[in-house]
Amino acid sequence: MTSTQNDNQYKTALIGWSLPSIEAADELGRPFVIVGPPHCEQYAEKYDLPFIAWDFDHYKKHYSMEDVWEQSEELYQLLKEENTGLAVPLFEDTVEWAAAVNGRIKEDPKVFRHSLLFRHKGKMKRRALLGGLKVGVFEEANNKEEVKQFFRRVNDAMLKAGEEEQDPVHVKAFDKAGDVGHRIIRTEADIDALEDEAFPNLVESHLDGVEVSCEVFVHNGTIQFLNITEYIVFGYSMMAPPSPEIEKQRKKIRGAVQALIRAFDIQYGLIHPEFFIDEEGKISFIEVAARIPGGNIFDLIKKTYDFNPFQAHILCSDPNTSEEELQSFFPKERKSKGHAGSLMVYPRVKTIEKLHVPEELEEHPGFDRHTMFTPAQRKVPEMEGFGNPQGVVFFHHDNHDHVREPLRDYVDFDFYI
């Protein structure tokens, strides 16, 4: 699909920076303007891309996410001059900014407040609980003592208080994406090791099961397409569509997603929820984001379903996209072209000397390609959480085992030495 309807020719503001999203808007024939970090301006000028520099990091440092509504007036006026009719968030820290712009366009501040449900894990969990979703026990903690009290109460309820091996709990940052700010607490010594910067935070009980994410394209409150991604090794490798044992649960997973959409009153756009599925098939809600997923999941979707999810994101974000356009755009969910997987590679050395890709990997029937390279800057920077991978290994095969096995087996392999 290379063009779409936009009778009024209003511009779509792409809030953040994503080259595939920029290309998608261009391929759709939609007028657009990029609101991106200042360091992207030179690239935009080089390729004659319409660009407004906006220092998201500055506002994040000096203002809370709740303050974004007041701080968005200047950006809204700049976009108004560009005849902007829609704002689409591209990464985590731009969700509330896109919502603030859309709220000002619609003259409805509630649009902005609604976005905070996806950005503040405390608000998110409460909304999920009020909406009837199955969640773990959780509280907001302001200091180490409150985390200790929660840890003790959970283990008292599980009749494990005072035992050598107690049930773990999880500490999560309110507004960080992925695993950033996520700590597993197994002992009170782990709590003592938390830094003051970790507070306030969300603390919650542990849930067991297979972890999956869903990439859900929603328009007018209806699921247009549901992808299910199986996390093979959390933070490192994933596969889409999932293995047959999880695919059998698609109807149940779809029901959980529909319940989530109702609970959060989601009408348009892309959501990226995560769930646990236990041995009995019970589904527990973990969290939900309203932006493009990490882990190269969109690349996996594009490989196996043969449509452009970056285009889908823009189309579903726009209330004016017609049902006819959407029906002709999306394929059938159960008609995938095999399975695709991604393995994110993180150097475990402080200084990279060379890249080592074993022959047996390249000869593996599931191997597709890799993006690893020896960087000019050999020193590996310190990162919070997993950080950014130094390349990705992609797999693809009709047999899911030829994808899942290397995604598991090569997680601990040292590609950088």
Side-chain angles (χ1 to χ4, degrees):
M1 185 174 183
T2 57
S3 63
T4 185
Q5 296 175 6
N6 183 351
D7 295 337
N8 297 323
Q9 288 298 298
Y10 53 81
K11 290 184 180 179
T12 297
L14 302 176
I15 312 296
W17 184 262
S18 164
L19 287 177
S21 295
I22 295 168
E23 292 169 354
D26 185 56
E27 290 164 358
L28 288 170
R30 286 186 165 233
F32 65 90
V33 56
I34 305 160
V35 179
H39 68 264
C40 297
E41 187 167 15
Q42 186 175 359
Y43 182 97
E45 289 179 351
K46 180 178 179 180
Y47 292 98
D48 197 26
L49 298 172
F51 186 86
I52 295 174
W54 199 256
D55 194 343
F56 299 104
D57 288 340
H58 166 80
Y59 287 96
K60 185 177 180 180
K61 183 178 180 180
H62 293 93
Y63 299 94
S64 70
M65 67 174 72
E66 288 83 359
D67 293 329
V68 166
W69 174 258
E70 295 298 328
Q71 299 301 318
S72 65
E73 174 64 24
E74 179 186 352
L75 177 59
Y76 166 68
Q77 292 299 334
L78 291 171
L79 290 172
K80 187 177 180 180
E81 293 176 4
E82 296 285 339
N83 190 33
T84 300
L86 173 70
V88 178
L90 302 184
F91 54 80
E92 186 76 11
D93 292 341
T94 67
V95 169
E96 62 268 35
W97 285 97
V101 171
N102 286 329
R104 291 188 179 279
I105 290 172
K106 297 178 180 180
E107 299 182 346
D108 183 4
K110 191 175 180 180
V111 173
F112 166 73
R113 297 199 302 272
H114 183 257
S115 74
L116 301 184
L117 297 175
F118 304 96
R119 290 284 288 120
H120 187 288
K121 288 186 173 65
K123 298 176 190 288
M124 181 191 300
K125 290 285 185 177
R126 283 191 291 274
R127 182 66 178 243
L129 184 63
L130 290 168
L133 302 181
K134 185 179 184 298
V135 300
V137 178
F138 66 93
E139 291 182 8
E140 294 185 19
N142 295 292
N143 52 57
K144 296 178 183 180
E145 184 58 32
E146 290 183 1
V147 178
K148 288 181 179 180
Q149 292 296 329
F150 180 84
F151 182 68
R152 293 167 186 167
R153 286 194 295 268
V154 166
N155 279 282
D156 179 57
M158 298 302 294
L159 304 182
K160 290 189 175 182
E163 293 188 6
E164 184 175 341
E165 186 174 333
Q166 302 188 72
D167 268 17
V169 300
H170 297 256
V171 169
K172 296 182 177 181
F174 282 139
D175 62 347
K176 301 289 179 64
D179 70 302
V180 178
H182 181 185
R183 302 288 183 269
I184 300 177
I185 304 298
R186 302 184 188 278
T187 67
E188 292 197 13
D190 293 334
I191 301 172
D192 290 329
L194 293 173
E195 298 179 353
D196 291 340
E197 291 75 18
F199 297 95
N201 56 41
L202 180 80
V203 57
E204 62 180 342
S205 59
H206 180 73
L207 295 169
D208 287 317
V210 176
E211 187 171 356
V212 301
S213 75
C214 296
E215 290 68 48
V216 192
F217 299 92
V218 183
H219 196 267
N220 197 25
T222 301
I223 298 172
Q224 302 296 322
F225 186 87
L226 165 64
N227 177 69
I228 302 172
T229 300
E230 179 180 355
Y231 290 178
I232 307 302
V233 179
F234 178 74
Y236 289 91
S237 59
M238 52 203 64
M239 179 174 72
S243 52
E245 53 265 34
I246 294 177
E247 185 63 38
K248 290 178 182 177
Q249 305 270 14
R250 177 174 285 272
K251 184 177 180 181
K252 190 178 292 185
I253 294 170
R254 191 179 187 88
V257 171
Q258 288 175 327
L260 171 65
I261 289 171
R262 288 193 298 269
F264 281 72
D265 190 23
I266 298 164
Q267 293 298 312
Y268 299 98
L270 164 73
I271 57 170
H272 170 57
E274 295 174 327
F275 300 98
F276 278 122
I277 307 174
D278 68 14
E279 292 181 352
E280 298 177 354
K282 294 180 181 177
I283 298 177
S284 299
F285 170 75
I286 304 174
E287 60 188 56
V288 59
R291 42 78 183 166
I292 297 170
N296 299 93
I297 291 176
F298 269 16
D299 291 317
L300 307 186
I301 295 174
K302 196 172 183 180
K303 182 78 173 181
T304 53
Y305 286 105
D306 203 24
F307 77 92
N308 189 326
F310 295 96
Q311 291 182 2
H313 180 205
I314 296 171
L315 289 173
C316 285
S317 296
D318 191 347
N320 292 321
T321 301
S322 70
E323 290 300 316
E324 292 76 17
E325 286 180 274
L326 295 171
Q327 288 175 7
S328 64
F329 185 89
F330 289 107
K332 300 292 184 182
E333 293 174 4
R334 293 184 180 273
K335 291 188 177 181
S336 65
K337 296 180 179 179
H339 299 263
S342 58
L343 170 65
M344 290 170 285
V345 178
Y346 305 94
R348 285 180 287 194
V349 293
K350 292 184 178 181
T351 303
I352 296 172
E353 293 185 5
K354 65 177 181 178
L355 171 66
H356 172 52
V357 181
E359 287 186 14
E360 57 266 31
L361 171 63
E362 295 184 308
E363 294 173 356
H364 191 282
F367 177 77
D368 184 20
R369 60 190 174 91
H370 75 80
T371 63
M372 296 180 290
F373 62 96
T374 304
Q377 174 56 261
R378 300 298 181 95
K379 185 177 180 180
V380 178
E382 292 185 7
M383 291 283 187
E384 185 178 1
F386 289 102
N388 295 319
Q390 188 73 45
V392 180
V393 185
F394 290 96
F395 299 87
H396 182 253
H397 201 277
D398 289 338
N399 186 333
H400 74 281
D401 282 331
H402 285 321
V403 176
R404 183 166 61 177
E405 288 174 1
L407 289 176
R408 182 184 61 237
D409 296 344
Y410 282 93
V411 162
D412 294 324
F413 187 86
D414 289 320
F415 291 97
Y416 291 99
I417 55 180

